[in-house]
PDB file of all heavy atoms in Angstrom:
ATOM      1  N   GLY M 177      -8.076 -65.933  -9.085  1.00  0.00           N
ATOM      2  CA  GLY M 177      -7.898 -64.472  -9.378  1.00  0.00           C
ATOM      3  C   GLY M 177      -8.457 -64.206 -10.812  1.00  0.00           C
ATOM      4  O   GLY M 177      -9.151 -63.213 -11.054  1.00  0.00           O
ATOM      5  N   ALA M 178      -8.082 -65.094 -11.757  1.00  0.00           N
ATOM      6  CA  ALA M 178      -8.598 -64.980 -13.113  1.00  0.00           C
ATOM      7  C   ALA M 178     -10.110 -64.929 -13.199  1.00  0.00           C
ATOM      8  O   ALA M 178     -10.857 -64.243 -13.817  1.00  0.00           O
ATOM      9  CB  ALA M 178      -8.015 -65.983 -13.977  1.00  0.00           C
ATOM     10  N   GLU M 179     -10.644 -65.878 -12.334  1.00  0.00           N
ATOM     11  CA  GLU M 179     -12.179 -65.919 -12.328  1.00  0.00           C
ATOM     12  C   GLU M 179     -12.778 -64.762 -11.676  1.00  0.00           C
ATOM     13  O   GLU M 179     -13.857 -64.128 -12.205  1.00  0.00           O
ATOM     14  CB  GLU M 179     -12.601 -67.195 -11.567  1.00  0.00           C
ATOM     15  CG  GLU M 179     -14.157 -67.381 -11.604  1.00  0.00           C
ATOM     16  CD  GLU M 179     -14.623 -68.738 -11.102  1.00  0.00           C
ATOM     17  OE1 GLU M 179     -13.817 -69.704 -11.116  1.00  0.00           O
ATOM     18  OE2 GLU M 179     -15.782 -68.836 -10.682  1.00  0.00           O
ATOM     19  N   ILE M 180     -12.224 -64.203 -10.653  1.00  0.00           N
ATOM     20  CA  ILE M 180     -12.636 -63.053 -10.063  1.00  0.00           C
ATOM     21  C   ILE M 180     -12.602 -61.843 -11.034  1.00  0.00           C
ATOM     22  O   ILE M 180     -13.534 -60.999 -11.237  1.00  0.00           O
ATOM     23  CB  ILE M 180     -11.940 -62.581  -8.792  1.00  0.00           C
ATOM     24  CG1 ILE M 180     -12.193 -63.769  -7.679  1.00  0.00           C
ATOM     25  CG2 ILE M 180     -12.388 -61.235  -8.280  1.00  0.00           C
ATOM     26  CD1 ILE M 180     -13.624 -63.820  -7.214  1.00  0.00           C
ATOM     27  N   ALA M 181     -11.442 -61.770 -11.797  1.00  0.00           N
ATOM     28  CA  ALA M 181     -11.193 -60.693 -12.767  1.00  0.00           C
ATOM     29  C   ALA M 181     -12.230 -60.798 -13.905  1.00  0.00           C
ATOM     30  O   ALA M 181     -12.677 -59.752 -14.356  1.00  0.00           O
ATOM     31  CB  ALA M 181      -9.794 -60.852 -13.322  1.00  0.00           C
ATOM     32  N   ASP M 182     -12.536 -61.952 -14.284  1.00  0.00           N
ATOM     33  CA  ASP M 182     -13.544 -62.125 -15.319  1.00  0.00           C
ATOM     34  C   ASP M 182     -14.866 -61.728 -14.911  1.00  0.00           C
ATOM     35  O   ASP M 182     -15.623 -61.075 -15.708  1.00  0.00           O
ATOM     36  CB  ASP M 182     -13.550 -63.669 -15.736  1.00  0.00           C
ATOM     37  CG  ASP M 182     -14.586 -63.878 -16.918  1.00  0.00           C
ATOM     38  OD1 ASP M 182     -14.463 -63.346 -18.077  1.00  0.00           O
ATOM     39  OD2 ASP M 182     -15.499 -64.636 -16.669  1.00  0.00           O
ATOM     40  N   LYS M 183     -15.226 -61.876 -13.695  1.00  0.00           N
ATOM     41  CA  LYS M 183     -16.508 -61.528 -13.264  1.00  0.00           C
ATOM     42  C   LYS M 183     -16.695 -59.979 -13.222  1.00  0.00           C
ATOM     43  O   LYS M 183     -17.791 -59.463 -13.263  1.00  0.00           O
ATOM     44  CB  LYS M 183     -16.817 -62.137 -11.819  1.00  0.00           C
ATOM     45  CG  LYS M 183     -17.109 -63.566 -11.751  1.00  0.00           C
ATOM     46  CD  LYS M 183     -17.328 -63.928 -10.303  1.00  0.00           C
ATOM     47  CE  LYS M 183     -17.680 -65.461 -10.225  1.00  0.00           C
ATOM     48  NZ  LYS M 183     -18.888 -65.776 -10.873  1.00  0.00           N
ATOM     49  N   LEU M 184     -15.527 -59.347 -12.999  1.00  0.00           N
ATOM     50  CA  LEU M 184     -15.469 -57.821 -12.854  1.00  0.00           C
ATOM     51  C   LEU M 184     -14.955 -57.161 -14.126  1.00  0.00           C
ATOM     52  O   LEU M 184     -14.726 -55.898 -14.036  1.00  0.00           O
ATOM     53  CB  LEU M 184     -14.680 -57.459 -11.678  1.00  0.00           C
ATOM     54  CG  LEU M 184     -15.239 -57.898 -10.315  1.00  0.00           C
ATOM     55  CD1 LEU M 184     -14.213 -57.615  -9.197  1.00  0.00           C
ATOM     56  CD2 LEU M 184     -16.486 -57.031  -9.985  1.00  0.00           C
ATOM     57  N   ALA M 185     -15.023 -57.830 -15.155  1.00  0.00           N
ATOM     58  CA  ALA M 185     -14.383 -57.250 -16.446  1.00  0.00           C
ATOM     59  C   ALA M 185     -15.352 -56.036 -16.814  1.00  0.00           C
ATOM     60  O   ALA M 185     -16.528 -55.997 -16.764  1.00  0.00           O
ATOM     61  CB  ALA M 185     -14.509 -58.246 -17.575  1.00  0.00           C
ATOM     62  N   VAL M 190      -8.861 -55.870 -11.474  1.00  0.00           N
ATOM     63  CA  VAL M 190      -8.499 -56.869 -10.447  1.00  0.00           C
ATOM     64  C   VAL M 190      -6.868 -56.893 -10.560  1.00  0.00           C
ATOM     65  O   VAL M 190      -6.424 -57.426 -11.667  1.00  0.00           O
ATOM     66  CB  VAL M 190      -9.142 -58.172 -10.512  1.00  0.00           C
ATOM     67  CG1 VAL M 190      -8.595 -59.116  -9.404  1.00  0.00           C
ATOM     68  CG2 VAL M 190     -10.650 -58.067 -10.400  1.00  0.00           C
TER      69      VAL M 190
END
Side-chain angles (χ1 to χ4, degrees):
E179 183 167 338
I180 297 296
D182 181 59
K183 288 179 179 294
L184 291 173
V190 178

